[in-house]
Amino acid sequence: MGRADRPIVRRSLFSWVFDGNLGWQLLLLAVIAVVVVARVLPLEMQKRIVNQAIHLRDLDRLLLYCGFYLAAVLLANGCKYAINILETLIAQRVLKRMRSALFDHILSLPLSFFRDTQPGTVVNAIAIELVPPSNFAGSAVSTPVANVLTLLAFAGYLFWLNPLLAAVSLSIYPAAMVAIPFLQRRANWANQKRVDLSRIFAGRIAESIGGMHEIHGHGAYRLERRKFDRLAEELRKIRIVWSLYRYAVKGANNLFTGLGPFLVFLMGGYLAIRGELELGALVAFLSAQEKLYDPWRELIDFYQVYQDGAVTYRRTMEFFDVAPEHAREPSGRPSVELDGRLEVKHLTFTTESGIRLLDDVNLELNPGEHLALVGFSGSGKSTLALCIGQLYAYGEGQVMIGGQEVAALTKQDMAANVGMVFQSPFMFEGSIAENLLYATEAAAPEGEGPSRPSLDDIIAVLHHTGLFADVLRFGLNTVLPAGSHPELARALVRVRHKFQDRYGEKFRDALEFFDENRYQLFSSVADNLMFGAPHREEFSAARIGRNDYFRRFLEREDLNPLLLEIGETLARQTVGILGNLPPDAVFFEQSPIPAEELPRYKAVLEHLRRGPRNLLPPEDAHSLLELALRFTPGVHKMAGMGPKVQAVLLEKRGRFRSAVARDLPDAFAFYAASEFIHSQSILNNIVFGNLTTASSPVLDRITQNIIQLLIERDLLETIVDIGMRYNIGSKGEKLSGGQRQKLAIARAFLKAPRLLIMDEATSALDNRSQARIQNLLETRWKRRSTLIAVVHRLDIIQNFDKIAVMKAGKIIESGSYTELVARKGALYELIGRK
Amino acid sequence: MSSSAENSPGTACEFTENLDLLRQTYFFSRLPLESLKVFAYLGTREKLNDGEYLFRQGEEDDQAYCVVAGRGCLERSDNGSRRDLREIGPGDFIGGLTLLGEARRLYSLRAVGEIVCLELKREKFAKAVQQFPDQMPRIFRAVVEAVVSWEARFLLELGGDCGRCLPRLGVSLL
C-alpha cells in the first residue's frame, strides 16, 4: 500500500475510511441494502392491511401481512444493531491505528519540537482529539449511504403511491434546509458570546474573592456588587438570546415535521374524499412522511460529525507535521559497527531563532581516549555533546564517528554504538531491572531477541556504579508473602538470630525490636493489636477493617470511640497539610492517607463539620476506623499518641491474643523470634523490629552488617535479585536524584558502547559515589570506550586524556591537564575561580 | 486561621513542634501557615551522638538543619589544622542557602554531646516550593535581608579589626 510510505500527518481523513477496512465496509453496505428494503416493506404492508385485509375482512391476509410486517420490523432493527456494531468496530480500528501511527511519528520528532510543545498537548491529541475523526471514519460510508438510500426509497415509494401528494409533502424540506441552518448559525454565534462572557464573569468573581481583604478593608461591598451586577446583567441577556435561538431551531424542526402530516391530511384527505386515493395509501403516506424525518435528522447529525472530525483531524495533523531529522532504522543492512574514533570539523550549530550556540568547533579523539568538556554554563558544552550524540541536527560542519558522518547515520546505528547519560536522567515506570536493561534492549536490532546481559554482568555494573547497596536495600524492604520463598524464609530466621547475637545491642538506638510487652511506635495500630502475621487473607492489613471477627472484637472491647477519635485527628491533620498537594511520593510517603483517598477523607471531614462523630454515616465511620488502624506514630508525625492510649492498646493486644487462641487458633502466627513474619519486610525480619531512623550513616552501618551475614549464608544474590524487581514508580519518583543518576550510568555501562557521552552525569552524586565513578572510568573504560564528558566540577578532570575549554560556542583551549595548567590560560583561570 | 482550632487537644506532637521551630527561623518566618505546614511535615528529625558530624567541609550537602535540642560546633580546617568557630544551639537554623542551590560546605558541623536536628532536604524543599511558587520571592527577600544584616552587624561589631581582610569585605554586594 502506497499510503504506508506517506507520513501519517499528510494522510487525508478519508484515507482511513477504507484503508484496511475494505472488507468491513463492504459488509456494512450489504447490511445497509437489507435494512433499506426492510424499512420500506412495512409501509406497503400497512397499505395492504388497510386496503385488502381489513377492507375485505380477510383474516388470512391480515395474518400474512402482519407476519411480513413483523418480520420486516425485526429484520430492520436487527440490521440496525449490526450496522452500529460494524461502525463501532471500524471506528475503533481506525482510532487504534491513528493513535499508534501518530505516537510513532511523534516519537521520532526532533527534540526541538518538544521544547515548544507541552506534554498535555500531545496527550490531548492522542487521547482525545483523534476520537471525532475516528468516529467519522466509522460512519463515513454507512450513515450517508443508509440514510440517502432510505430517503430515496421513501420518496420513491411516495411518488409511486401518488406523485402529486408526494411533491406537496416533500416541498417542506427545501424550506427547512434554508431556515434551520440559518437559525443554527445564530445560535452558535450567541453561544460563542456566552462562552466569552462567562470566562470574563468567572475571572471577575475569582478576582473579587482574591482581593477579599481589600473589599473588607474598604467596606467596598456596594462597589463590588455593582461591578458584578453589570456583568451578570450582560450574561443574563446573552443567555436569553442564546436560549431563544436554540429553542427556535428545535421549534422550527418540530414545525416542519408537524407540517408534513398536515399537508398530507389536507391534500390526501381531499383526494381520498374525491376517491382518487385509497385509504390504505393515505395511511402508508402518513407513515412514510413521518419516517422521512429520521434519516433526514441523521444526515444533519452526520454533517456535524463530519465537520468535527475533519476540523480536529486537520488541526491535529498540521500541528505534528514536522519531519523527523534522521531515519530510524537502516534499510536493507544491519546496524553499522563503528570504531570509537571521533572527528569534529568546523561544526556550527545555530538555533531556529538564529543564536549561534556552536561556532566552528574542531576536535579529534582516538578510540578509547577520554575528553572532558569544561567551561561556563552556556558555553556550548552540552550542545556539542548532544550534536555528537545526534540529538541535535547540526547545520554546518561535520561530526564523524568511526569515519562515518553522524548526520547520515540512522537512530538505530547510533543506539548500537553510542551510550548516553544525561544530567537529569529520566526513568520509566517499571522495575529496576527493566530500567537497567532499557538501553541494551533498545539497541538490539528489530526482530531479534535482545541479548540479555548475564546476571554476573549486571551485578558487576551495580557494584561499579554503587547502585548495589541501593538495590540491596530495595530487596531488604520487600515483603515475602507466605509460601513464596519457604527456603529463604527459613534461612532468614537463622540470619535474624545471628544479627541479634552480634549486633542487637549495638543498634539498640536505631531499632525498635518486636516486644510483646511494649507498644511499637513504628508499627500500625492494627499491627500492634494483632501483633502477628495472619495466615488468612481476611485478616490481612488491607482487609482487617472489614473483618467481622475483628470488628466484633473492637465492639466488645469498646475500642471504637477511641479509634474514631484517633482517625478524626489524623484525618484533620493530614488533610490540613496535604489537602491541596499533588499526588507526589515526596508528599505522601509519610502520610497515612494515600493521595487517591484524600477526597474521601475531605468528604468525611465535611460531614463531621455538620454533625457529631457518633452520628456519622457508617461508611464515614469506617473510613476513620481504617485510618486509625493504619496510624503509625513513628512515621505519621502529624499526630502524636500519648502513653495512656498506648497502654490501652497494649492491654487489648493481650485480650486479642487470648480471644484468637480460643476462637481461631490457626488464624495467626504471633510474632516469635523463631518464625519468619510474612507480613513484614525482609529487613524487619532480620532485625526483628522496625528501623526508627532515616539517617543514612546509621542505615549504611546496619546494611553493611546485614550484607556480611547474607554473604555468610550465600543469600546476597537472592536478595539483590528480589531488589531488582522493585518498581521505581512513575518517572522513577521512588528513587532519589542520585539513585536515578547511578541507574542511568549503569544502563549506559551495561551496553558497553564504543562512544560514551556523559553530560554532567555525576552532578547529583555525593563525593564518594562521584569518586567511584571517576575511578571506574579511568580503570575500566579508558582505551575501551571513547568518552566525552561534560564536566562542571573541575576537581575530577586531572586524569582525562584531553580537556577542551569552551567559551561562547568555541573551543578556546585544549590539551592535557598538565599542559593547560602550565600554559596558565583559560583552564588555569577557571580552576582559580572555582 | 488559628491553628489551635484545628488541632484537637492532646495532639501536641513532633509536627507541631517542628512547625513552631521553623516559624522562628528567618528563612521560613514570613511564609503563611499553609505552606509552612508542608515544610514542617517534610522535615525529619535525626539524633547524633557526641563527635558525629552533621556535615563536613568540602561535602556537597543537600539539606538545611534546625537544632531542636543539644549543641553543635562549627569548625573549619585549613592546611590540616582544625579550628572551632562557634557553638550553635536550640533554634539555630543552618543551611538555608543549601535549599536554594548546590554548594560545597565550607565548614563542618560536629555534635557536642547528643544533638537532635530537624533536617529538610533540598529535593523535598524544591518539590514543595513548586506548589507555592508565590512564596519563593518571600524566601529570597528573607535571605537577602539576612545576608545584608549579617554583614552590617559584622561591620558594626568587628569592622575595625579587619585589617588585611578589608579588601575582601562586601558579601552583601554579591
Side-chain angles (χ1 to χ4, degrees), chain A residues 294-556:
Chain A
D294 282 338
W296 166 253
R297 202 200 57 222
E298 277 194 39
L299 278 176
I300 298 217
D301 288 349
F302 174 72
Y303 180 71
Q304 202 58 52
V305 170
Y306 166 64
Q307 287 293 326
D308 283 354
V311 169
T312 46
Y313 184 82
R314 202 173 51 237
R315 278 216 196 115
T316 308
M317 294 307 165
E318 276 170 5
F319 185 81
F320 293 106
D321 191 2
V322 177
E325 286 167 341
H326 302 279
R328 276 226 303 244
E329 313 266 342
S331 62
R333 61 170 175 85
S335 318
V336 290
E337 271 195 41
L338 305 173
D339 74 28
R341 180 178 311 281
L342 175 75
E343 292 156 277
V344 177
K345 292 177 192 160
H346 307 295
L347 180 66
T348 296
F349 179 81
T350 314
T351 64
E352 278 169 29
S353 47
I355 301 165
R356 186 167 281 213
L357 293 182
L358 293 180
D359 191 0
D360 194 24
V361 170
N362 292 286
L363 194 65
E364 214 166 300
L365 282 181
N366 288 320
E369 273 189 328
H370 285 190
L371 168 81
L373 284 173
V374 301
F376 290 107
S377 314
S379 58
K381 296 170 295 189
S382 289
T383 311
L384 176 56
L386 293 176
C387 279
I388 294 171
Q390 208 197 40
L391 286 175
Y392 289 170
Y394 45 89
E396 301 159 44
Q398 281 185 310
V399 177
M400 316 276 278
I401 300 176
Q404 303 243 28
E405 175 81 52
V406 164
L409 291 173
T410 68
K411 285 282 167 195
Q412 192 61 39
D413 293 322
M414 292 299 285
N417 292 283
V418 181
M420 293 209 195
V421 187
F422 301 104
Q423 188 181 5
S424 311
F426 198 93
M427 296 294 145
F428 294 90
E429 204 274 338
S431 67
I432 299 249
E434 282 164 355
N435 277 284
L436 198 54
L437 295 174
Y438 193 78
T440 324
E441 290 196 10
E446 170 131 49
E448 278 174 43
S451 51
R452 240 181 134 87
S454 69
L455 186 63
D456 284 347
D457 283 346
I458 292 177
I459 288 189
V461 163
L462 292 181
H463 269 300
H464 293 158
T465 48
L467 204 56
F468 188 81
D470 300 286
V471 174
L472 183 72
R473 206 168 289 158
F474 295 137
L476 288 173
N477 284 331
T478 307
V479 174
L480 293 182
S484 64
H485 297 75
E487 282 293 319
L488 180 60
R490 273 194 293 277
L492 287 171
V493 172
R494 290 194 285 274
V495 174
R496 172 194 300 170
H497 295 317
K498 272 269 181 285
F499 183 85
Q500 286 288 333
D501 288 350
R502 282 198 212 163
Y503 312 111
E505 199 48 41
K506 185 169 156 195
F507 293 117
R508 174 155 282 294
D509 269 359
L511 297 168
E512 182 184 58
F513 295 114
F514 294 133
D515 180 345
E516 203 182 319
N517 303 311
R518 267 180 51 193
Y519 190 86
Q520 317 285 145
L521 288 171
F522 286 80
S523 293
S524 68
V525 167
D527 277 345
N528 265 289
L529 284 172
M530 297 187 286
F531 209 62
H535 284 317
R536 300 187 193 164
E537 181 56 29
E538 72 228 53
F539 286 101
S540 65
R543 293 171 61 180
I544 189 74
R546 300 226 176 248
N547 181 290
D548 280 335
Y549 183 83
F550 189 70
R551 296 186 68 158
R552 276 202 304 277
F553 171 78
L554 298 182
E555 192 69 42
R556 211 163 52 228

Side-chain angles (χ1 to χ4, degrees), chain A residues 561-573:
Chain A
L562 173 66
L563 293 178
L564 287 185
E565 191 185 340
I566 293 178
E568 182 182 338
T569 308
L570 207 50
R572 240 176 241 300
Q573 288 289 92

